[in-house]
Amino acid sequence: MTSLTDRKNAAISRGVGMTTQIYADRAENSEIWDKEGNRYIDFAAGIAVVNTGHRHPRIIEAVKAQIDRFTHTCHQVVPYESYVHLAERLNALAPGNFAKKTIFVTTGAEAVENAVKIARAATGRQAIVAFGGGFHGRTFMGMALTGKVVPYKIGFGAMPGDVFHAPFPIELHGVSVEQSIAALKKLFAADVDPARVAAIILEPVQGEGGFYPAPASFMRALREICDQHGILLIADEVQTGFARTGKLFAMDHHDVAADLMTMAKSLAGGFPLAAVTGRAEIMDAPAPGGLGGTYGGSPIGIAAAHAVLDIIEDEKLCERAEQLGSRLKQRLAAIREQAPEIVDIRGPGFMNAVEFNDVKTNLPSADFANRVRLIALEKGLILLTCGVHGNVIRFLAPITIQDEVFAEALDILEASIIEARA
Ligand SMILES: Cc1ncc(COP(=O)(O)O)c(C=O)c1O
């Protein structure tokens, strides 16, 4: 009999990479069962999508109620109140003490594309500055902004022009805030006139790049530079959003606000929905018809997102993220006593990561991180790696994970790290 993996290999482009060979049959909160009935604890959450857990009963109920009324009209043709109301809610919740407006699209990459379009329309400028190690999606502008070539840009030819990269400050890898800001200023002196720059885009905590938080002084310095040159600041909150960092948005940790924010992933707890929220006058720059899309703001995703926002508030998921994150970081600190490969444990709230070096060379060890991941998978725990060197394990369990399942996962994690040393 042909295995599912063989069928997948025959039917699907290899360009769609897969980190496991588990074929999901059903999922509930923080657990997934495969076709053979094996049970896994999910520390990936569909890559930061189900912060509220798989199939949260209130999301399922909201989606079912929506499906019973209508599934699609296209908001640009026959609008619906739930879209307007969700925009109002996000405008009120997004950090920044100014009037805001919102648009809904379908994916994170599409939100990034639209943020760039809006920034260009509002400023009349073209250039965009992003950061090394940043990830902003797989569309052409998303790829161009992404600060990593392999595997995202390989073979895909010329990228959209007028995109520049500066180094992201990561002390652990020898780049201080001062050095990063100096490099940005050098970029303005050598490569692009800041008067031509429409926006600077960054993730407040780099996601795919390795879960490195942007230091507060860095965010403040970027805000100052933006204000000095009339540049817009875009916070890409696609991975950091919706209680993951212990606050609703990662920008809530900072005392400066972005002009535009992109959101997706956990916004709708497993249903495709993305958004751009920003200063009202900037959001209004594009001409009518310039923004949108057939499925943008699908009523099903919108219904799910309303439920997500209610759940985060009612179940106090920001506080819960802080508690879970501190338990995870404490446990990792204890494991570190027995595993000198661990060189860093970090991350705000429950957006945590552990970074590994080879003990002999003291260089980043993707091999060790991958060994831990594979051993954990054998033991029933789904982990994801990340980082420009691939030597980071990031933790993205649902914030709704039950205490006993979390405790079980931490035991598996410890056993896997110890076994990977053997
Ligand atoms: C920060 C960030 N921006 C954009 C994207 C792209 O989102 P999507 O995969 O929904 O297009 C991602 C996806 O991982 C992301 O983490």
PDB file of all heavy atoms in Angstrom, residues 47 106-110 112 135-139 203 205 207-208 236-240 262 264-265 274 394, ligand 1:
ATOM      1  N   ILE A  47       1.949  26.996  13.986  1.00  0.00           N
ATOM      2  CA  ILE A  47       2.840  28.166  13.925  1.00  0.00           C
ATOM      3  C   ILE A  47       2.122  29.416  14.457  1.00  0.00           C
ATOM      4  O   ILE A  47       1.779  30.333  13.705  1.00  0.00           O
ATOM      5  CB  ILE A  47       3.471  28.426  12.540  1.00  0.00           C
ATOM      6  CG1 ILE A  47       3.906  27.137  11.851  1.00  0.00           C
ATOM      7  CG2 ILE A  47       4.658  29.387  12.694  1.00  0.00           C
ATOM      8  CD1 ILE A  47       4.715  27.332  10.578  1.00  0.00           C
ATOM      9  N   THR A 106      -6.399  38.289   4.207  1.00  0.00           N
ATOM     10  CA  THR A 106      -6.540  36.867   4.534  1.00  0.00           C
ATOM     11  C   THR A 106      -5.303  36.240   5.164  1.00  0.00           C
ATOM     12  O   THR A 106      -5.417  35.362   6.007  1.00  0.00           O
ATOM     13  CB  THR A 106      -6.951  36.087   3.254  1.00  0.00           C
ATOM     14  OG1 THR A 106      -8.058  36.766   2.668  1.00  0.00           O
ATOM     15  CG2 THR A 106      -7.367  34.657   3.569  1.00  0.00           C
ATOM     16  N   THR A 107      -4.115  36.665   4.751  1.00  0.00           N
ATOM     17  CA  THR A 107      -2.896  36.027   5.275  1.00  0.00           C
ATOM     18  C   THR A 107      -1.937  37.091   5.807  1.00  0.00           C
ATOM     19  O   THR A 107      -2.055  38.283   5.461  1.00  0.00           O
ATOM     20  CB  THR A 107      -2.143  35.249   4.176  1.00  0.00           C
ATOM     21  OG1 THR A 107      -1.658  36.197   3.211  1.00  0.00           O
ATOM     22  CG2 THR A 107      -3.032  34.233   3.496  1.00  0.00           C
ATOM     23  N   GLY A 108      -0.951  36.619   6.569  1.00  0.00           N
ATOM     24  CA  GLY A 108       0.045  37.536   7.110  1.00  0.00           C
ATOM     25  C   GLY A 108       0.817  38.238   6.011  1.00  0.00           C
ATOM     26  O   GLY A 108       1.057  39.458   6.078  1.00  0.00           O
ATOM     27  N   ALA A 109       1.203  37.490   4.998  1.00  0.00           N
ATOM     28  CA  ALA A 109       1.974  38.091   3.900  1.00  0.00           C
ATOM     29  C   ALA A 109       1.154  39.178   3.209  1.00  0.00           C
ATOM     30  O   ALA A 109       1.677  40.238   2.837  1.00  0.00           O
ATOM     31  CB  ALA A 109       2.388  37.016   2.894  1.00  0.00           C
ATOM     32  N   GLU A 110      -0.122  38.918   3.074  1.00  0.00           N
ATOM     33  CA  GLU A 110      -1.002  39.901   2.429  1.00  0.00           C
ATOM     34  C   GLU A 110      -1.127  41.157   3.299  1.00  0.00           C
ATOM     35  O   GLU A 110      -1.215  42.274   2.771  1.00  0.00           O
ATOM     36  CB  GLU A 110      -2.376  39.252   2.230  1.00  0.00           C
ATOM     37  CG  GLU A 110      -3.155  39.776   1.058  1.00  0.00           C
ATOM     38  CD  GLU A 110      -4.571  39.215   1.050  1.00  0.00           C
ATOM     39  OE1 GLU A 110      -4.866  38.246   1.778  1.00  0.00           O
ATOM     40  OE2 GLU A 110      -5.388  39.774   0.308  1.00  0.00           O
ATOM     41  N   VAL A 112       1.225  42.286   5.222  1.00  0.00           N
ATOM     42  CA  VAL A 112       2.501  42.995   5.030  1.00  0.00           C
ATOM     43  C   VAL A 112       2.481  43.753   3.693  1.00  0.00           C
ATOM     44  O   VAL A 112       2.843  44.934   3.622  1.00  0.00           O
ATOM     45  CB  VAL A 112       3.684  42.003   5.088  1.00  0.00           C
ATOM     46  CG1 VAL A 112       4.972  42.646   4.602  1.00  0.00           C
ATOM     47  CG2 VAL A 112       3.853  41.463   6.517  1.00  0.00           C
ATOM     48  N   PHE A 135      11.328  37.997   9.182  1.00  0.00           N
ATOM     49  CA  PHE A 135      10.505  37.205   8.249  1.00  0.00           C
ATOM     50  C   PHE A 135       9.178  37.916   8.060  1.00  0.00           C
ATOM     51  O   PHE A 135       8.511  38.276   9.027  1.00  0.00           O
ATOM     52  CB  PHE A 135      10.265  35.786   8.776  1.00  0.00           C
ATOM     53  CG  PHE A 135       9.459  34.947   7.812  1.00  0.00           C
ATOM     54  CD1 PHE A 135      10.065  34.352   6.717  1.00  0.00           C
ATOM     55  CD2 PHE A 135       8.089  34.776   7.985  1.00  0.00           C
ATOM     56  CE1 PHE A 135       9.316  33.606   5.801  1.00  0.00           C
ATOM     57  CE2 PHE A 135       7.337  34.029   7.085  1.00  0.00           C
ATOM     58  CZ  PHE A 135       7.952  33.439   5.993  1.00  0.00           C
ATOM     59  N   HIS A 136       8.806  38.105   6.783  1.00  0.00           N
ATOM     60  CA  HIS A 136       7.563  38.843   6.527  1.00  0.00           C
ATOM     61  C   HIS A 136       6.668  38.161   5.498  1.00  0.00           C
ATOM     62  O   HIS A 136       5.750  38.792   4.982  1.00  0.00           O
ATOM     63  CB  HIS A 136       7.896  40.270   6.084  1.00  0.00           C
ATOM     64  CG  HIS A 136       8.647  41.053   7.128  1.00  0.00           C
ATOM     65  ND1 HIS A 136       8.058  41.536   8.275  1.00  0.00           N
ATOM     66  CD2 HIS A 136       9.972  41.391   7.216  1.00  0.00           C
ATOM     67  CE1 HIS A 136       8.973  42.165   9.017  1.00  0.00           C
ATOM     68  NE2 HIS A 136      10.139  42.087   8.403  1.00  0.00           N
ATOM     69  N   GLY A 137       6.945  36.896   5.163  1.00  0.00           N
ATOM     70  CA  GLY A 137       6.028  36.176   4.279  1.00  0.00           C
ATOM     71  C   GLY A 137       6.657  35.756   2.971  1.00  0.00           C
ATOM     72  O   GLY A 137       7.800  36.084   2.670  1.00  0.00           O
ATOM     73  N   ARG A 138       5.839  35.019   2.190  1.00  0.00           N
ATOM     74  CA  ARG A 138       6.365  34.381   0.985  1.00  0.00           C
ATOM     75  C   ARG A 138       5.875  35.003  -0.318  1.00  0.00           C
ATOM     76  O   ARG A 138       6.124  34.460  -1.393  1.00  0.00           O
ATOM     77  CB  ARG A 138       6.035  32.890   1.020  1.00  0.00           C
ATOM     78  CG  ARG A 138       6.839  32.128   2.068  1.00  0.00           C
ATOM     79  CD  ARG A 138       6.493  30.653   2.039  1.00  0.00           C
ATOM     80  NE  ARG A 138       7.387  29.858   2.847  1.00  0.00           N
ATOM     81  CZ  ARG A 138       7.248  29.650   4.164  1.00  0.00           C
ATOM     82  NH1 ARG A 138       6.252  30.193   4.804  1.00  0.00           N
ATOM     83  NH2 ARG A 138       8.111  28.904   4.819  1.00  0.00           N
ATOM     84  N   THR A 139       5.147  36.100  -0.262  1.00  0.00           N
ATOM     85  CA  THR A 139       4.802  36.824  -1.488  1.00  0.00           C
ATOM     86  C   THR A 139       6.041  37.614  -1.912  1.00  0.00           C
ATOM     87  O   THR A 139       7.029  37.665  -1.173  1.00  0.00           O
ATOM     88  CB  THR A 139       3.643  37.805  -1.222  1.00  0.00           C
ATOM     89  OG1 THR A 139       4.024  38.599  -0.094  1.00  0.00           O
ATOM     90  CG2 THR A 139       2.351  37.074  -0.908  1.00  0.00           C
ATOM     91  N   GLU A 203       9.655  43.129  13.213  1.00  0.00           N
ATOM     92  CA  GLU A 203       8.863  42.340  14.152  1.00  0.00           C
ATOM     93  C   GLU A 203       9.323  42.752  15.561  1.00  0.00           C
ATOM     94  O   GLU A 203      10.530  42.722  15.835  1.00  0.00           O
ATOM     95  CB  GLU A 203       9.147  40.850  13.958  1.00  0.00           C
ATOM     96  CG  GLU A 203       8.826  40.313  12.585  1.00  0.00           C
ATOM     97  CD  GLU A 203       9.662  39.064  12.286  1.00  0.00           C
ATOM     98  OE1 GLU A 203       9.257  37.971  12.710  1.00  0.00           O
ATOM     99  OE2 GLU A 203      10.731  39.191  11.648  1.00  0.00           O
ATOM    100  N   VAL A 205       9.229  41.125  18.183  1.00  0.00           N
ATOM    101  CA  VAL A 205      10.072  39.987  18.570  1.00  0.00           C
ATOM    102  C   VAL A 205      10.263  39.202  17.278  1.00  0.00           C
ATOM    103  O   VAL A 205       9.279  38.750  16.694  1.00  0.00           O
ATOM    104  CB  VAL A 205       9.392  39.056  19.617  1.00  0.00           C
ATOM    105  CG1 VAL A 205      10.332  37.914  20.005  1.00  0.00           C
ATOM    106  CG2 VAL A 205       8.954  39.833  20.850  1.00  0.00           C
ATOM    107  N   GLY A 207      10.393  36.413  14.821  1.00  0.00           N
ATOM    108  CA  GLY A 207       9.792  35.084  14.944  1.00  0.00           C
ATOM    109  C   GLY A 207      10.660  34.013  14.310  1.00  0.00           C
ATOM    110  O   GLY A 207      11.516  33.410  14.961  1.00  0.00           O
ATOM    111  N   GLU A 208      10.470  33.802  13.007  1.00  0.00           N
ATOM    112  CA  GLU A 208      11.261  32.788  12.300  1.00  0.00           C
ATOM    113  C   GLU A 208      12.755  33.011  12.527  1.00  0.00           C
ATOM    114  O   GLU A 208      13.543  32.083  12.555  1.00  0.00           O
ATOM    115  CB  GLU A 208      10.989  32.835  10.783  1.00  0.00           C
ATOM    116  CG  GLU A 208       9.535  32.743  10.364  1.00  0.00           C
ATOM    117  CD  GLU A 208       8.906  31.438  10.759  1.00  0.00           C
ATOM    118  OE1 GLU A 208       9.446  30.377  10.407  1.00  0.00           O
ATOM    119  OE2 GLU A 208       7.879  31.471  11.452  1.00  0.00           O
ATOM    120  N   ASP A 236       5.309  44.453  12.517  1.00  0.00           N
ATOM    121  CA  ASP A 236       4.723  43.216  11.996  1.00  0.00           C
ATOM    122  C   ASP A 236       4.444  42.311  13.192  1.00  0.00           C
ATOM    123  O   ASP A 236       5.342  41.666  13.729  1.00  0.00           O
ATOM    124  CB  ASP A 236       5.679  42.551  10.994  1.00  0.00           C
ATOM    125  CG  ASP A 236       5.077  41.291  10.377  1.00  0.00           C
ATOM    126  OD1 ASP A 236       4.043  40.827  10.875  1.00  0.00           O
ATOM    127  OD2 ASP A 236       5.659  40.777   9.400  1.00  0.00           O
ATOM    128  N   GLU A 237       3.175  42.278  13.594  1.00  0.00           N
ATOM    129  CA  GLU A 237       2.764  41.521  14.789  1.00  0.00           C
ATOM    130  C   GLU A 237       2.096  40.205  14.395  1.00  0.00           C
ATOM    131  O   GLU A 237       1.307  39.648  15.156  1.00  0.00           O
ATOM    132  CB  GLU A 237       1.807  42.364  15.633  1.00  0.00           C
ATOM    133  CG  GLU A 237       2.459  43.560  16.291  1.00  0.00           C
ATOM    134  CD  GLU A 237       2.577  43.421  17.815  1.00  0.00           C
ATOM    135  OE1 GLU A 237       2.398  42.317  18.355  1.00  0.00           O
ATOM    136  OE2 GLU A 237       2.866  44.455  18.448  1.00  0.00           O
ATOM    137  N   VAL A 238       2.405  39.726  13.192  1.00  0.00           N
ATOM    138  CA  VAL A 238       1.738  38.508  12.716  1.00  0.00           C
ATOM    139  C   VAL A 238       2.000  37.333  13.665  1.00  0.00           C
ATOM    140  O   VAL A 238       1.084  36.571  13.987  1.00  0.00           O
ATOM    141  CB  VAL A 238       2.186  38.194  11.268  1.00  0.00           C
ATOM    142  CG1 VAL A 238       1.799  36.775  10.852  1.00  0.00           C
ATOM    143  CG2 VAL A 238       1.571  39.203  10.303  1.00  0.00           C
ATOM    144  N   GLN A 239       3.229  37.203  14.154  1.00  0.00           N
ATOM    145  CA  GLN A 239       3.544  36.065  15.028  1.00  0.00           C
ATOM    146  C   GLN A 239       3.458  36.448  16.519  1.00  0.00           C
ATOM    147  O   GLN A 239       3.214  35.613  17.375  1.00  0.00           O
ATOM    148  CB  GLN A 239       4.939  35.512  14.706  1.00  0.00           C
ATOM    149  CG  GLN A 239       5.207  34.186  15.357  1.00  0.00           C
ATOM    150  CD  GLN A 239       6.238  33.308  14.654  1.00  0.00           C
ATOM    151  OE1 GLN A 239       6.793  32.417  15.243  1.00  0.00           O
ATOM    152  NE2 GLN A 239       6.499  33.516  13.381  1.00  0.00           N
ATOM    153  N   THR A 240       3.668  37.735  16.815  1.00  0.00           N
ATOM    154  CA  THR A 240       3.745  38.157  18.224  1.00  0.00           C
ATOM    155  C   THR A 240       2.386  38.491  18.826  1.00  0.00           C
ATOM    156  O   THR A 240       2.284  38.696  20.037  1.00  0.00           O
ATOM    157  CB  THR A 240       4.618  39.431  18.326  1.00  0.00           C
ATOM    158  OG1 THR A 240       4.159  40.376  17.348  1.00  0.00           O
ATOM    159  CG2 THR A 240       6.078  39.143  18.090  1.00  0.00           C
ATOM    160  N   THR A 262       0.640  45.015  11.444  1.00  0.00           N
ATOM    161  CA  THR A 262       0.061  43.882  10.716  1.00  0.00           C
ATOM    162  C   THR A 262      -0.258  42.776  11.705  1.00  0.00           C
ATOM    163  O   THR A 262       0.484  42.557  12.660  1.00  0.00           O
ATOM    164  CB  THR A 262       1.043  43.338   9.662  1.00  0.00           C
ATOM    165  OG1 THR A 262       2.284  43.043  10.317  1.00  0.00           O
ATOM    166  CG2 THR A 262       1.286  44.328   8.554  1.00  0.00           C
ATOM    167  N   ALA A 264      -2.198  38.631  11.971  1.00  0.00           N
ATOM    168  CA  ALA A 264      -2.803  37.473  11.289  1.00  0.00           C
ATOM    169  C   ALA A 264      -2.823  36.335  12.305  1.00  0.00           C
ATOM    170  O   ALA A 264      -3.133  36.564  13.477  1.00  0.00           O
ATOM    171  CB  ALA A 264      -2.018  37.116  10.032  1.00  0.00           C
ATOM    172  N   LYS A 265      -2.454  35.133  11.863  1.00  0.00           N
ATOM    173  CA  LYS A 265      -2.290  33.970  12.742  1.00  0.00           C
ATOM    174  C   LYS A 265      -3.358  33.873  13.839  1.00  0.00           C
ATOM    175  O   LYS A 265      -4.507  33.579  13.549  1.00  0.00           O
ATOM    176  CB  LYS A 265      -0.869  33.974  13.308  1.00  0.00           C
ATOM    177  CG  LYS A 265       0.199  33.707  12.205  1.00  0.00           C
ATOM    178  CD  LYS A 265       1.535  33.401  12.803  1.00  0.00           C
ATOM    179  CE  LYS A 265       2.645  33.238  11.786  1.00  0.00           C
ATOM    180  NZ  LYS A 265       2.774  31.900  11.236  1.00  0.00           N
ATOM    181  N   ALA A 274      -6.495  38.215   8.412  1.00  0.00           N
ATOM    182  CA  ALA A 274      -5.354  39.083   8.722  1.00  0.00           C
ATOM    183  C   ALA A 274      -5.843  40.524   8.691  1.00  0.00           C
ATOM    184  O   ALA A 274      -6.919  40.810   8.153  1.00  0.00           O
ATOM    185  CB  ALA A 274      -4.233  38.866   7.706  1.00  0.00           C
ATOM    186  N   ARG A 394      11.731  27.064  19.428  1.00  0.00           N
ATOM    187  CA  ARG A 394      10.747  28.060  19.887  1.00  0.00           C
ATOM    188  C   ARG A 394       9.530  27.313  20.418  1.00  0.00           C
ATOM    189  O   ARG A 394       9.168  26.244  19.922  1.00  0.00           O
ATOM    190  CB  ARG A 394      10.351  28.988  18.745  1.00  0.00           C
ATOM    191  CG  ARG A 394       9.843  28.255  17.529  1.00  0.00           C
ATOM    192  CD  ARG A 394       9.346  29.196  16.460  1.00  0.00           C
ATOM    193  NE  ARG A 394       9.454  28.591  15.140  1.00  0.00           N
ATOM    194  CZ  ARG A 394       8.933  29.111  14.049  1.00  0.00           C
ATOM    195  NH1 ARG A 394       8.265  30.231  14.112  1.00  0.00           N
ATOM    196  NH2 ARG A 394       9.068  28.525  12.883  1.00  0.00           N
TER     197      ARG A 394
HETATM  198  C1  LIG B   1       6.209  38.078  11.350  1.00  0.00           C
HETATM  199  C2  LIG B   1       5.518  37.399  10.207  1.00  0.00           C
HETATM  200  N1  LIG B   1       5.077  38.139   9.179  1.00  0.00           N
HETATM  201  C3  LIG B   1       4.448  37.572   8.134  1.00  0.00           C
HETATM  202  C4  LIG B   1       4.235  36.213   8.072  1.00  0.00           C
HETATM  203  C5  LIG B   1       3.523  35.611   6.906  1.00  0.00           C
HETATM  204  O1  LIG B   1       2.261  35.164   7.304  1.00  0.00           O
HETATM  205  P1  LIG B   1       1.463  34.121   6.396  1.00  0.00           P
HETATM  206  O2  LIG B   1       2.218  32.838   6.455  1.00  0.00           O
HETATM  207  O3  LIG B   1       0.087  34.053   7.034  1.00  0.00           O
HETATM  208  O4  LIG B   1       1.412  34.693   5.023  1.00  0.00           O
HETATM  209  C6  LIG B   1       4.683  35.403   9.115  1.00  0.00           C
HETATM  210  C7  LIG B   1       4.512  33.950   9.064  1.00  0.00           C
HETATM  211  O5  LIG B   1       5.125  33.187   9.745  1.00  0.00           O
HETATM  212  C8  LIG B   1       5.342  36.012  10.217  1.00  0.00           C
HETATM  213  O6  LIG B   1       5.792  35.284  11.246  1.00  0.00           O
END
